[in-house]
Structure formats: structure tokens, C-alpha cells
Amino acid sequence: MVINDFLRSRTMGDLTADELLALQDSITDIRHFQPRTIAIKEGAHLTESTLLIDGLMTRYSSDRKGNRQLVALQVSGDFLDLHAYPLMRLDHDVGTLTACEVAVLSHDRIWKIQKELPELARKLWFLTLLDAAMNREWVFRLGRLKAPARLAHFICEMNARLFAVGKSDGREFELSVTQFDLAEICGLTSVHVNRVVRQLREMELCLIRDGVVEILNYRELVRFSDFDPDYLYLKSEVLERLDQGPGAVEQTA
Amino acid sequence: MVINDFLRSRTMGDLTADELLALQDSITDIRHFQPRTIAIKEGAHLTESTLLIDGLMTRYSSDRKGNRQLVALQVSGDFLDLHAYPLMRLDHDVGTLTACEVAVLSHDRIWKIQKELPELARKLWFLTLLDAAMNREWVFRLGRLKAPARLAHFICEMNARLFAVGKSDGREFELSVTQFDLAEICGLTSVHVNRVVRQLREMELCLIRDGVVEILNYRELVRFSDFDPDYLYLKSEVLERLDQGPGAVEQTA
DNA sequence: CGCAGCCTTGAAGTAAATCAAGGATTGTGG
DNA sequence: CCACAATCCTTGATTTACTTCAAGGCTGCG
């Protein structure tokens, strides 16, 4: 199950067989969404939470004029709105970027988990706080970094998160977002994102094109963007592999 | 207990007598901090969490050069680092702005609560996610608002939060922060904050001076800053009183 | 008194938004 | 198969927002 891909690489640790069963037992439905659609509207009263199985989804707030600010980008294995379980309703919208498949978990079953499997409940709690940690880092990114470092920092985050679930080799990964999406993530305009993408390319730090990101100089990209993956709560062993990059595997073999 | 002042005004609802007892029973220590000191260092392994009883504290990340970005401002009744319970360590520093008093709760006792009082555990979970909701709103604020609206939005948030715990009358409240602090909150320089404070004063929206904030035109301040208090999960009755302002109390009486 | 911390203001420089136009690619209907 | 519309990317010119640098003022305190 995709959630285990996620937890495996985190400091909180893996699920036991029992816990995995309990979670699978909580799934009441599998759903599919078209690209660029709204999945959950802000304010709706919710009695279920969803786990992203495949695709790219986002959570965002909009201002009065309709300008969006993305507050999270979710990839396979991420819970989209587990926080809706204690909160009962969301303070933001959830939408898709690409076509998506999600698993639906009823809050009744999560309540049952809370009563019967406190260890698992604690792991779920951990997951919601991991999202919060990313939210905080996004605050830092927007508040203290200039546009080029902001974008670079985001690239580093996605690389690390996708690496953790086996969807990046540590230096290159698929990321189906437009420059407009990147602008909504980084608090910039798409015009400026375009110039910044070019800048990062000319600095030979990374290439961003056609839904693929290629990191040319990992060490320098990390330094340039003030990226410190601590907030992702990855196991130290995963961090080491990430640091070494994809070439290192053969060397140790 | 101060935590009940906090929960009373939220959608999650109050603590029962049993729950209150269990929480009080979890307190192992009361501690005091001097102004402008570090209370918890990033990365430290934690076996207890702290509840702010009195004073003003902050959570922040720093960049390579030591520039801080505040990611949260905590007031009486807020948990400072309840998220440390599932996370085990923090990804940011915690420090004081003013002199502070905190209550310390051991994680062992919280674990006991998780096993024995799942309803209370859910309320604690709720509290950590309320912080996350604020983190998200801070992302929105930094990403989509210009300096004057950013500061105004922050003022609206603090007014609402302090109102919820009885420390604002809805239009005027004490907030012992310097313009430098406001800069670290809003992702600006203190020089620019100074000009923006003047601007808000000249627009007759609010006064910020000597640790006191006075809102002159609440409705306009809310509109100007695109503030929507949904993310604070206040009871609708509290929101209504906030909207009406302090004059309304006498009118209904 | 003299220093420290905070606030204030001006001038100059830089970062990013805005406005405007055009190019490339893909899908669609005639 | 080609015209076209839609979407996304690219680039230049201009304007605006914010930072940086520099200086000085106010207040409280040892």
C-alpha cells in the first residue's frame, strides 16, 4: 500500500501488519479525478479523508480577486486531508493538477483506530504534523528567500519527498506542473518564474522543462536555496543516500 | 486553566471535567523564561511539551546568514510544541519575546491520555492542526499579499486570537512586539514595516505603537487585508461578537 | 551624562510586477 | 490536411514595491 512507501522512509517508522490491515479496512472507496478540477471545497463538512494513490494534487487559498496561493503540493502516498478528521471541515480548497486516483477513509473508522490502536493513531497524527512542518518551511521560503532561491528550495523539497517514495533517483524526477503552477507555489508571477527558471539553468543548477526536473549541481542547489531537509523527518539512512545521489548505489554494490 | 480559555471559543468545544483533570495531571513542572531567550533549540530530542500560560513566544526558522522568519506567534493558552509529541523533535527554534510562564507536560502522560481518553486525544490533535491552519494562512499572507495588507492581515489575526481568549475587546489589544519583530513575521525589513505602519495609520485603519494595537476601522481593515477568520475555527457566536465589536455588548444588555 | 534600543526619514539601488507582444505545441473541426 | 483556438512559454520595456545604506531623533536607564 502506498502509505507504507511513505512511512518507510520517515523517522516515525513503518506500519505493523496489524496497522496496515486496519488502515486498509478503513478504505471505503476508490475515486478518480480529472486534471485541474476541485476535489474538496473549503468549508464543506467532511466525514471522510482521502489518501492520494496516484497523481498530483494541491491545496490552496484564494484572495478576493481569485489569485491562488498553493499551500501544499501532494504526491503519491500523501494524505490530502487527514487533518479534516479532527478539524471536521477544511479552511482551504483541494484540487487536482493531473489525473488522480485517491482512496477514501471514513472518519468513523479512524475513530475506531483511535480507540483501539493508539500507536497507529499516533502515526496518523505524525503524518498530519509532517504536513504542518512543510507548511512552516513554505512560510520560511516565502518570507526569507528571493525568487531564484525560492524556486530552487521548492525543487529541493520535491526531489527529497519524491526520493523518499521512490519517485526520484535523487537528481531527476517527473513533476507535471506549469510555470504558472510554480508561480502559485512560490508567490510570484508566471512571467517572473520563467525568468528564474532560465537563471537556474544558466547558473547550471537545474533544468525545469516539459514536466521533468533535472538537478545539475545538487550540492550547490542545496547551498544556494538554504535547503535543510530536517523538516521532512526522513531517516538518516535515506538522507545519506539522497546526498550521495544515484551514482553511489553501484559504488557500494 | 488557560487551555480551557482557548478551547472554549473553538468549534471543537470545551474540555469535560475529567479531561481537564487528566491534562492538569500531565503537568510536571511550571517554568519561567526571560524575554528574548531561546526556550527550545531546533533538533533537540524532546520528551515533554509546553503550554504557554503567560507572555509572548515565537517559533522561527533562520537562514544561513541568521535572518529569522517567524512561523508562529504564541499567546496565553497556546501549546508551544504539542507537535513535538508525535514528531519527537522540532524542526524550528522556540523563543520568548516577553517574560513568559509555561506549563510542562510529559509525553508519557500524553501517551496515557491517548490510550485512555481518545476524545481528549482528538482535541489535542485538533489543537496541533489549528496551528497548522495558521501556518497555511501565513503562507497565503506572504505569498499573495503586499506589505500593507500583510501587516493588516496579521493584525486581524492577532485581534481575533486574543479576542478568543479574552485578551482583546475586539478593537484594541496589547501586543508587545517591536517593528523589527513585525518585520520577521511579515517577511519584510524593519525600515519598511515602519513606513507601512505609518501608511495604515494615515489610511485610518489602525494604530500600532508602544506595544498596543488599536483598530480604527475594523470592517475596512478586514476587507483591505483579505482577512477571513475561518481558519481560526472559532465558534460562530464568537465570530459574531468579534464582528460587532466592543460597543455591541452594552447595546444588547 | 552617555549609551542602548527602538523608531523615523531620505536617497539610491534592486527585485519583481505589470503590460504587451509574439512563438511553439497540441488538439479540434472543417 | 490545414486552419484555428487554446495553452503554455518567452522576451522586452516600463513601473512599482521593497531593500539597502545612512543619518538622526527619542526614551529610558545605569
Side-chain angles (χ1 to χ4, degrees):
Chain A
M1 189 176 164
V2 72
I3 185 68
N4 233 8
D5 289 347
F6 186 94
L7 272 167
R8 199 184 339 265
S9 57
R10 310 288 162 164
T11 51
M12 172 53 83
D14 227 342
L15 296 177
T16 66
D18 276 2
E19 290 173 347
L20 193 53
L21 269 177
L23 259 191
Q24 275 165 340
D25 192 46
S26 304
I27 296 176
T28 54
D29 200 7
I30 299 285
R31 282 183 208 151
H32 296 266
F33 289 101
Q34 294 294 312
R36 308 274 163 188
T37 53
I38 297 179
I40 306 168
K41 279 294 290 179
E42 174 195 339
H45 181 80
L46 298 171
T47 57
E48 52 191 34
S49 286
T50 48
L51 175 65
L52 182 51
I53 296 171
D54 197 52
L56 213 48
M57 293 185 76
T58 175
R59 303 190 275 127
Y60 61 90
S61 305
S62 307
D63 68 11
R64 181 160 15 99
K65 293 187 211 146
N67 297 315
R68 304 200 307 178
Q69 173 63 46
L70 305 197
V71 297
L73 193 67
Q74 313 287 177
V75 303
S76 317
D78 288 356
F79 265 103
L80 289 165
D81 58 348
L82 184 54
H83 52 303
Y85 165 66
L87 289 177
M88 317 290 278
R89 65 178 173 81
L90 293 188
D91 47 274
H92 55 73
D93 294 332
V94 180
T96 61
L97 292 181
T98 65
C100 288
E101 182 179 358
V102 304
V104 177
L105 288 84
S106 92
H107 288 173
D108 292 347
R109 308 274 179 98
I110 299 177
W111 172 238
K112 197 158 162 264
I113 286 173
Q114 245 207 295
K115 281 185 298 187
E116 295 170 10
L117 298 167
E119 274 289 4
L120 176 54
R122 193 174 185 172
K123 283 174 187 171
L124 294 180
W125 192 348
F126 172 84
L127 288 177
T128 62
L129 295 183
L130 202 44
D131 267 320
M134 288 190 256
N135 292 151
R136 284 192 291 274
E137 196 69 11
W138 286 39
V139 170
F140 167 76
R141 182 191 295 153
L142 291 171
R144 279 293 163 252
L145 302 182
K146 293 190 202 307
R150 237 184 254 180
L151 182 56
H153 187 281
F154 170 71
I155 295 300
C156 287
E157 173 178 314
M158 291 316 294
N159 181 53
R161 287 170 59 190
L162 291 168
F163 182 74
V165 294
K167 299 221 166 186
S168 165
D169 69 359
R171 295 298 179 269
E172 188 172 350
F173 55 94
E174 205 191 300
L175 189 71
S176 302
V177 294
T178 65
Q179 292 184 355
F180 192 86
D181 297 327
L182 292 174
E184 290 186 324
I185 290 166
C186 294
L188 301 166
T189 59
S190 61
V191 171
H192 198 57
V193 165
N194 183 279
R195 298 188 222 265
V196 167
V197 164
R198 172 153 47 110
Q199 231 176 300
L200 293 178
R201 184 177 63 239
E202 285 169 358
M203 291 171 79
E204 295 183 321
L205 292 178
C206 65
L207 304 177
I208 305 172
R209 42 124 177 66
D210 303 329
V212 175
V213 175
E214 194 181 330
I215 297 175
L216 301 174
N217 187 336
Y218 181 73
R219 215 158 297 270
E220 192 50 32
L221 190 71
V222 165
R223 200 202 57 78
F224 177 72
S225 63
D226 242 312
F227 179 72
D228 177 349
D230 260 15
Y231 71 98
L232 296 173
Y233 292 82
L234 295 167
K235 283 184 184 157
S236 58
E237 167 260 336
V238 175
L239 284 173
E240 272 165 37
R241 280 196 294 120
L242 176 61
D243 217 47
Q244 286 159 10
V249 178
E250 287 106 86
Q251 283 168 13
T252 42
Chain B
M1 192 177 163
V2 73
I3 185 68
N4 234 8
D5 290 347
F6 186 94
L7 272 167
R8 199 183 340 265
S9 57
R10 311 287 163 164
T11 52
M12 171 54 84
D14 228 343
L15 296 178
T16 66
D18 276 3
E19 290 173 347
L20 193 55
L21 269 176
L23 259 190
Q24 275 166 339
D25 193 47
S26 303
I27 297 176
T28 54
D29 200 7
I30 300 286
R31 282 182 208 151
H32 296 264
F33 290 102
Q34 293 295 311
R36 308 273 162 188
T37 51
I38 297 179
I40 306 166
K41 279 295 290 179
E42 174 195 338
H45 181 82
L46 298 171
T47 57
E48 52 191 34
S49 287
T50 47
L51 174 67
L52 182 51
I53 296 172
D54 197 51
L56 212 49
M57 294 184 75
T58 176
R59 303 189 275 126
Y60 60 90
S61 304
S62 307
D63 69 11
R64 178 161 18 97
K65 292 186 212 147
N67 297 315
R68 304 200 306 178
Q69 173 62 46
L70 306 198
V71 297
L73 193 67
Q74 313 286 181
V75 302
S76 318
D78 289 356
F79 265 104
L80 289 164
D81 59 347
L82 184 53
H83 53 303
Y85 165 65
L87 289 176
M88 316 293 277
R89 64 178 172 82
L90 293 188
D91 47 272
H92 55 73
D93 293 332
V94 180
T96 62
L97 292 181
T98 65
C100 288
E101 183 179 357
V102 303
V104 178
L105 288 83
S106 92
H107 288 173
D108 292 346
R109 307 275 178 98
I110 300 178
W111 172 236
K112 200 158 159 262
I113 286 173
Q114 244 206 298
K115 280 184 299 188
E116 294 169 11
L117 298 168
E119 273 291 4
L120 177 54
R122 194 175 183 172
K123 284 174 186 171
L124 295 179
W125 193 348
F126 171 85
L127 288 176
T128 61
L129 295 184
L130 203 43
D131 267 320
M134 288 190 256
N135 291 152
R136 285 191 291 272
E137 196 70 10
W138 287 40
V139 170
F140 167 75
R141 181 191 295 152
L142 292 171
R144 279 295 164 250
L145 303 182
K146 293 192 201 307
R150 235 184 256 179
L151 183 56
H153 187 280
F154 171 70
I155 295 301
C156 287
E157 172 177 315
M158 291 316 294
N159 181 53
R161 288 170 59 190
L162 289 168
F163 182 74
V165 294
K167 300 222 166 186
S168 166
D169 68 1
R171 296 298 179 268
E172 188 174 350
F173 54 94
E174 206 189 300
L175 188 71
S176 302
V177 295
T178 65
Q179 293 185 354
F180 192 87
D181 297 328
L182 292 173
E184 290 186 324
I185 289 166
C186 294
L188 301 165
T189 59
S190 62
V191 172
H192 199 56
V193 164
N194 183 278
R195 298 188 223 264
V196 167
V197 164
R198 172 152 48 110
Q199 233 176 299
L200 293 178
R201 184 176 64 239
E202 285 169 358
M203 292 171 78
E204 295 183 321
L205 292 178
C206 66
L207 305 177
I208 306 171
R209 42 129 177 60
D210 302 330
V212 175
V213 176
E214 192 180 333
I215 298 176
L216 301 174
N217 187 337
Y218 182 71
R219 216 157 295 270
E220 192 50 32
L221 190 72
V222 165
R223 200 202 57 77
F224 176 73
S225 64
D226 243 311
F227 179 71
D228 176 349
D230 262 15
Y231 71 99
L232 296 173
Y233 292 81
L234 297 166
K235 283 184 184 157
S236 57
E237 167 260 336
V238 176
L239 284 174
E240 273 165 37
R241 280 196 294 120
L242 176 62
D243 218 46
Q244 285 159 11
V249 178
E250 286 106 87
Q251 282 166 18
T252 44

